[in-house]
Amino acid sequence: MDAQRALDIYQAKDTIPVNLEGVPVWIEKVDVDNGVATVQVGSRPTNTQTVNVERLMEG
């Protein structure tokens, strides 16, 4: 996905499923200028990663 779509999902009122290499993630922050997002992996709030938004898949 692109950075703008990641930002749209982050700002959406509805929950939109997003996966990182098949693992469900929750977008916590998007840096549109650098094309990266900070995501929570799974259900553990302490398990976060900053990844290139191109690695994220919607659905």
Side-chain angles (χ1 to χ4, degrees):
M1 91 176 42
D2 64 27
Q4 185 57 53
R5 181 60 185 148
L7 185 61
D8 291 345
I9 291 171
Y10 172 71
Q11 294 174 338
K13 291 184 171 127
D14 297 324
T15 301
I16 300 169
V18 176
N19 293 296
L20 171 65
E21 298 169 355
V23 178
V25 296
W26 184 261
I27 299 174
E28 294 190 343
K29 184 170 70 171
V30 179
D31 181 344
V32 175
D33 293 333
N34 292 310
V36 296
T38 301
V39 297
Q40 175 185 315
V41 182
S43 60
R44 292 180 44 217
T46 57
N47 188 5
T48 60
Q49 296 181 29
T50 299
V51 298
N52 188 307
V53 294
E54 292 176 0
R55 294 177 60 196
L56 300 174
M57 299 291 293
E58 185 175 349

